[in-house]
Amino acid sequence: MKAKNSKEFLQDVIEWDIYNWRHALKYWQDNSGLELKSANILEIGSEHGGLSLWAALNGGNVLCTDLNGPTTKALEKHKRYNIEDNIQYEKLSALDIKYKNHFDIVMFKSVLGGIGYNSNKTAQKEAINQIFHSLKKDGEFWFAENLVASPLHKFLRKNYIKWGNAWGYVTVNEMTDYLSAFSNVNYTTLGFLATLGRNEFQRKFLGVLDNKILNKVVPKHWHYIIIGVAKK
């Protein structure tokens, strides 16, 4: 089995723009009052099951879900790490979570954009509401999501990404509004140049520059990632 901090392991968990998005894993644990070990955990929008892999290897009992069910790649990935017995699989819409007061932790990475396709802010808000009601008292929502970011990001998405105009990027204010029912919310923002890299080597190089310099000097509303922990 690959080491939990190895390049290969992080590739399996984060998959893209690894250097910046991997900060979510440490932030969640540093800002949570809960332990992953033995926790009842839901991953929403898992697709290839990266966060489910990470949570299960840290001792969690995980329900790995996606709108169409986790992919074959997710099942194969979990089997490689010998943790498939710690993970259950289910088709699940974030807009219709049948579990109520059930989970210790709900987590997702880059999910609201798809839910909010074509400016559907109502659907994004409802997804967070569904997550809130699925958590036990004092349960936590661990999130990492794409932000609207800077005018440069908006221009490049509009002109060079085929789904760039339709994807439901959120602002920090929108995200905090969606989370208003939670008793406590901690979050951070990061990332500016790294997303412009054409491959992981370039994204890591630019991510280091973001982390060392640009995250500190660029306006926070120009960052493209928000990471947080919200307590019910």
Side-chain angles (χ1 to χ4, degrees):
M1 185 176 73
K2 302 179 184 72
K4 291 183 182 180
N5 59 352
S6 70
K7 178 180 177 182
E8 293 79 11
F9 175 70
L10 289 173
Q11 174 72 54
D12 284 337
V13 173
I14 304 299
E15 298 185 357
W16 189 89
D17 191 6
I18 296 165
Y19 182 84
N20 269 329
W21 288 88
R22 70 185 174 91
H23 290 292
L25 307 181
K26 184 176 188 302
Y27 185 90
W28 290 338
Q29 292 185 301
D30 287 350
N31 290 273
S32 172
L34 303 176
E35 294 288 340
L36 285 167
K37 187 175 182 180
S38 300
N40 196 15
I41 298 167
L42 169 65
E43 183 191 2
I44 292 174
S46 69
E47 191 172 17
H48 301 319
L51 295 184
S52 291
L53 168 65
W54 174 72
L57 282 173
N58 280 280
N61 302 307
V62 182
L63 180 59
C64 178
T65 72
D66 198 83
L67 185 61
N68 297 308
T71 63
T72 300
K73 183 176 179 180
L75 302 177
E76 292 173 347
K77 180 190 296 184
H78 298 161
K79 188 173 182 180
R80 288 204 318 271
Y81 286 83
N82 300 312
I83 46 83
E84 66 270 26
D85 290 343
N86 297 78
I87 302 176
Q88 294 181 311
Y89 303 91
E90 190 174 306
K91 291 183 180 180
L92 183 73
S93 168
L95 299 176
D96 185 22
I97 302 176
K98 62 187 178 183
Y99 302 92
K100 304 302 177 188
N101 304 306
H102 185 80
F103 298 103
D104 299 299
I105 298 168
V106 176
M107 58 177 60
F108 72 47
K109 177 175 72 71
S110 189
V111 166
L112 282 182
I115 294 171
Y117 218 70
N118 291 323
S119 300
N120 194 343
K121 302 298 183 182
T122 300
Q124 291 178 332
K125 190 167 187 175
E126 177 58 24
I128 302 301
N129 182 59
Q130 290 279 319
I131 289 168
F132 179 85
H133 289 294
S134 74
L135 286 164
K136 298 176 183 176
K137 185 179 183 299
D138 296 325
E140 293 179 351
F141 171 36
W142 297 4
F143 60 90
E145 189 55 55
N146 296 279
L147 291 170
V148 169
S150 72
L152 172 64
H153 293 88
K154 295 176 189 177
F155 172 82
L156 293 174
R157 289 165 182 161
K158 179 179 179 180
N159 291 281
Y160 296 102
I161 299 177
K162 61 182 180 180
W163 40 263
N165 282 330
W167 193 257
Y169 297 98
V170 298
T171 66
V172 171
N173 286 341
E174 286 171 342
M175 195 68 194
T176 54
D177 177 62
Y178 296 160
L179 296 167
S180 60
F182 288 83
S183 65
N184 186 63
V185 179
N186 291 307
Y187 69 88
T188 189
T189 61
L190 57 94
F192 183 74
L193 286 179
T195 191
L196 307 182
R198 305 301 296 170
N199 54 51
E200 280 305 311
F201 176 81
Q202 292 178 8
R203 286 189 283 269
K204 181 177 181 180
F205 175 81
L206 295 172
V208 171
L209 183 61
D210 284 344
N211 191 50
K212 297 293 185 182
I213 301 172
L214 294 178
N215 287 342
K216 302 176 178 67
V217 299
V218 167
K220 292 186 180 300
H221 63 278
W222 282 10
H223 294 165
Y224 69 89
I225 300 172
I226 184 170
I227 297 167
V229 174
K231 180 180 178 181
K232 184 172 180 179

